[in-house]
Amino acid sequence: MTSILAATVILLRDSPAGPEILMIKRGDNLAFAGGALVFPGGRVDPADVTTARDPRLATGFERLDDIDASARIACCREALEETGVLLTSGAAADPAQLARARAELATGPDSAEACTFAATLAALDHKVAADRFIPFARWEPPAAAPIKRRFDTHFYLADAGNTAGAAISPDGHEAVAIHWTTAAQVLADEAAGTAALVFPTKCNLQRLGQYDSVAAIMAAAATRAPPFIQPEIVERDGAMWLIIPEDCDYPVTEERMDSVRRE
């Protein structure tokens, strides 16, 4: 089964409790990760690479290959669509114009009301800067995993910076709730049964939870190439386990399959 290229952005801000992450709750009726807490993200659109290569709309993408370039644009697009956070440079956007752009992006590319992300950027006179998005990891399901959809997902970090105080809201479809929280709190909620996490999200939260500031997270990510994580399914002691590589900055590298949510 061919994997679907996807991109996810982990939005970060500092707080007295430590680094906070913007988490969204997906609608219960969605086919993938319904009801789970996730980072903003989605499929990479074919038009994303065109946007990345347009110097009127994007800067710093010249050195990136097409996959990396389009994935960073997808992060920016999905953050706006799902949360209202605009990770671009330019004059402050008119709230009504921004709300209209979000609504048009959410209709999908085949709708008569659809608006491309490139058109949104042009209308706002904004640009996407490639270095706003820091590569963090790439995840793909095990080759033998019995799942309906295979996503080749590229994870990026983004310091929310001056957007941290901006109004945020869920799009009401893919994201039905949204909030800032710490990795430790989300993991505690999952352990208590009050939150659902798919396996890659859980592992990435465990990795993020090792650091006490956004700067520390960013610095650690900058010291290594983003790891490629393809979990393996192994049998041990009469149980099936999902195992990820060691030495990739993930503090927990295995979990029993019967306790794992994969999609």
Side-chain angles (χ1 to χ4, degrees):
M1 182 188 299
T2 302
S3 295
I4 300 165
L5 182 61
T8 292
V9 59
I10 302 170
L11 289 165
L12 300 166
R13 72 177 186 184
D14 282 312
S15 80
E20 289 187 327
I21 303 154
L22 192 61
M23 302 295 299
I24 65 175
K25 182 179 180 182
R26 286 176 60 79
D28 290 332
N29 63 329
L30 295 176
F32 179 78
L37 294 181
V38 299
F39 312 117
R43 299 184 187 208
V44 175
D45 288 344
D48 289 329
V49 71
T50 305
T51 303
R53 301 306 182 202
D54 189 335
R56 297 168 298 177
L57 306 175
T59 60
F61 285 83
E62 302 85 2
R63 60 185 173 80
L64 305 179
D65 62 38
D66 284 354
I67 289 177
D68 191 5
S70 59
R72 296 189 199 211
I73 294 293
C75 285
C76 192
R77 174 175 51 77
E78 291 285 349
L80 172 59
E81 182 180 329
E82 293 183 351
T83 73
V85 173
L86 191 57
L87 298 169
T88 55
S89 59
D94 174 70
Q97 183 184 17
L98 201 57
R100 185 166 58 252
R102 282 187 72 189
E104 290 171 344
L105 285 170
T107 61
D110 299 324
S111 167
E113 295 80 24
C115 173
T116 66
F117 188 50
T120 297
L121 292 171
L124 294 172
D125 194 23
H126 276 216
K127 290 186 177 182
V128 182
D131 61 5
R132 185 74 185 266
F133 303 92
I134 309 302
F136 189 60
R138 174 188 168 198
W139 280 68
E140 193 169 19
I147 54 179
K148 297 176 182 177
R149 295 174 181 82
R150 293 182 59 83
F151 289 99
D152 179 2
T153 306
H154 295 245
F155 289 79
Y156 294 83
L157 305 171
D159 188 339
N162 59 10
T163 68
I168 58 172
S169 62
D171 65 9
H173 171 55
E174 291 191 64
V176 296
I178 185 172
H179 65 292
W180 287 99
T181 185
T182 63
Q185 185 60 60
V186 181
L187 292 168
D189 291 343
E190 193 259 356
T194 57
L197 297 171
V198 293
F199 185 65
T201 304
K202 183 174 181 178
C203 290
N204 280 307
L205 286 168
Q206 290 166 339
R207 183 180 173 191
L208 293 164
Q210 300 175 105
Y211 300 100
D212 61 6
S213 69
V214 172
I217 293 172
M218 296 290 195
T223 63
R224 63 167 63 237
F228 173 61
I229 307 296
Q230 187 170 50
E232 293 184 57
I233 300 172
V234 302
E235 183 177 359
R236 190 174 67 226
D237 301 328
M240 302 303 293
W241 292 76
L242 204 56
I243 296 177
I244 65 173
E246 297 183 355
D247 301 322
C248 291
D249 199 33
Y250 288 92
V252 180
T253 59
E254 60 180 34
E255 188 168 351
R256 281 179 59 123
M257 287 283 290
D258 56 12
S259 66
V260 168
R261 178 171 178 178
R262 288 177 288 159
E263 59 179 344

